[in-house]
Amino acid sequence: MVSLLLSVLSGFLTALSMPGFLSGALIWFSLIPLLYAVEGKGVWKRGFLSFVYFFTHVLISFFWVLPTLTENVPLVFGRYPSWLGIVVFVLMGIIEAVPFFGFGFLSYFAPRSIVLKTLYLASVYTIFEYLRGVGELGFTGGRISEALYSHTGLIQIVSITGTLGLVFLIVSLNVLFHEFLKRRKGLLIFPVIFFVYLLNSSVVHLLPVPERGSFEVVALQPNVPTSLKYSVSSGEMLELLESMTKDFHGSIVITPEAFFLEDVRYSQKLRELSEENTFVIGFPADNQNSVFVLEDGRFRKVYSKVKLFPFVEKLPYPRVFGVFSFLKGLSYYEPGRGFSVFNVGESPPLSVQICFESYFPEVSRAFVKNGSEIFIVVTNDGWFHYKAALLNHFVQGVFRAVETRRQFLQVANTGITGLVDEYGRIVDALPLRVRLAGEFHIKPRKGETFYVRYGDWFFYLSVILAVVSVFISRMRGERNEGIRVRL
């Protein structure tokens, strides 16, 4: 019972370290209760306790999904009762936590020596964190690296390792601190933490001063709540678009995802508005979630969402999850055919990601490889009532910006609408849940980082480190952690 409570505590502390919660600094200690919980346990019990840890973390970190499933979706689409939203929420937690059964299971085989054990456990955790993001149900939200989004110095490493490098660092320090406490050398934790934050501060002071970019856009934050959005006509949204852009002339105006909920390429009034401004505008068309450029009265489809969200925009593994087809939004979409890069007038090459595509680093990498010099993500986060949800989505741009050294502008219906520079610094943001049109100046960037070129190479390094750690331990004649404790 004590071990189970320690696993829950570990998940609770990890959740409190996430964006929008208590403090990211908690992440340096949040895994210690889990490490105590699995001590002296067999492989299966370790796997279960590790599952409980991540299940707790997910349910707390993504608490804001629950009211969406129990209130907003039933209200808008009326397809199922609210109680069923609770079932779906729990199922989400189970799906996300299952890979971490593997972490607990393999922790049984950790070497005894502190160095090899640290390398092994950090590597194994990193392996399963990567695997959680693979496949049709893959998702990277809730990755423990997110706790460090405001640690601007430390996160510069992701331009080389991706966020898996931060995961490895976090787990390494948790294992190290756990070993210090076991050996009654807890005071050693303080100089290590001091060095980490000294390093973070030093790197921050070495970064270039933020510069005002040369590419100017107008981002619209219409602040239309979900309770109204799906009942407002396209004509009313057109009037809103006109009123929000009446003071701009010759500008590039960017709307959130699905500003209109139907194909509006027939609208003569919309074409007339493009005589004053050029629009990058989102609406579904041709059974795809798409973004169009409207310039001088002509529509040009520039991107259709490739990474569709499971259950809402596509049905993953239909033979297994066919019973959940009722969760779909307006309809199931066809994925886009590629990560297209485009120009608006004389703009630099840019790309648009739609909604939760910003959670997936492979999307941003693909855009850079296709020549994008600026990232824009358009989204409708009006489904979510809590600021933690909005911040959780927005900070994905912090990591995508550093990974690729591209400035990242998010344009959201209710917020957060804001700009992140190539070093992960939040340059500017509009107030939440206010109807505003904001001007942003973006700096185009060329070139490819190490991470863009080689992707998640750190996953393969983690596999090698895990194997080598065990091999060296066996060569020394050491028993593994699980066997040692049982003896």
Side-chain angles (χ1 to χ4, degrees), residues 42-87:
V43 289
W44 297 106
K45 186 166 286 187
R46 284 171 178 249
F48 172 72
L49 292 171
S50 182
F51 168 85
V52 170
Y53 144 70
F54 207 80
F55 181 73
T56 304
H57 161 43
V58 168
L59 291 194
I60 297 174
S61 297
F62 292 95
F63 76 94
W64 39 269
V65 174
L66 185 58
T68 300
L69 292 172
T70 58
E71 298 174 22
N72 287 350
V73 174
L75 175 66
V76 173
F77 301 119
R79 293 199 182 104
Y80 60 86
S82 295
W83 64 264
L84 195 54
I86 300 175
V87 175

Side-chain angles (χ1 to χ4, degrees), residues 13 27 32 40 86 102 138 145 176 223 278 285 295 340 386 401 426 429 464:
L13 291 174
I27 201 64
I32 293 176
I86 300 175
S145 53
L176 193 63
N223 192 40
T278 297
E295 190 172 17
S340 54
Y386 297 94
I426 299 172
I464 294 170

Side-chain angles (χ1 to χ4, degrees), residues 65-202:
V65 174
L66 185 58
T68 300
L69 292 172
T70 58
E71 298 174 22
N72 287 350
V73 174
L75 175 66
V76 173
F77 301 119
R79 293 199 182 104
Y80 60 86
S82 295
W83 64 264
L84 195 54
I86 300 175
V87 175
V88 173
F89 181 65
V90 173
L91 178 64
M92 178 197 76
I94 293 173
I95 291 173
E96 291 301 312
V98 161
F100 284 88
F101 182 93
F103 168 70
F105 188 96
L106 292 182
S107 72
Y108 181 85
F109 304 98
R112 291 177 59 181
S113 71
I114 186 169
V115 174
L116 292 178
K117 183 179 180 180
T118 299
L119 288 176
Y120 176 81
L121 290 179
S123 297
V124 172
Y125 192 105
T126 302
I127 289 168
F128 286 101
E129 185 62 89
Y130 171 80
L131 293 176
R132 185 171 69 93
V134 174
E136 290 189 33
L137 288 175
F139 188 52
T140 65
R143 186 169 284 185
I144 57 176
S145 53
E146 292 174 9
L148 302 182
Y149 83 94
S150 62
H151 294 56
T152 304
L154 294 179
I155 68 174
Q156 299 311 308
I157 193 177
V158 305
S159 66
I160 301 172
T161 66
T163 55
L164 293 180
L166 290 178
V167 171
F168 185 92
L169 173 64
I170 290 167
V171 180
S172 294
L173 291 189
N174 272 272
V175 175
L176 193 63
F177 295 164
H178 173 242
E179 291 297 311
F180 286 165
L181 292 171
K182 283 172 55 180
R183 289 164 168 77
R184 297 183 180 181
K185 297 180 179 179
L187 290 178
L188 292 176
I189 293 174
F190 295 101
V192 174
I193 288 293
F194 175 79
F195 174 77
V196 168
Y197 280 94
L198 178 63
L199 177 62
N200 177 72
S201 179
S202 299

Side-chain angles (χ1 to χ4, degrees), residues 263 265 283-290 292 301 304 332-335:
D263 191 339
R265 285 177 286 184
F283 54 85
D286 307 319
N287 200 34
Q288 293 179 316
N289 189 353
S290 300
F292 292 79
K301 184 188 285 190
S304 294
Y332 286 139
Y333 292 124
E334 294 293 327

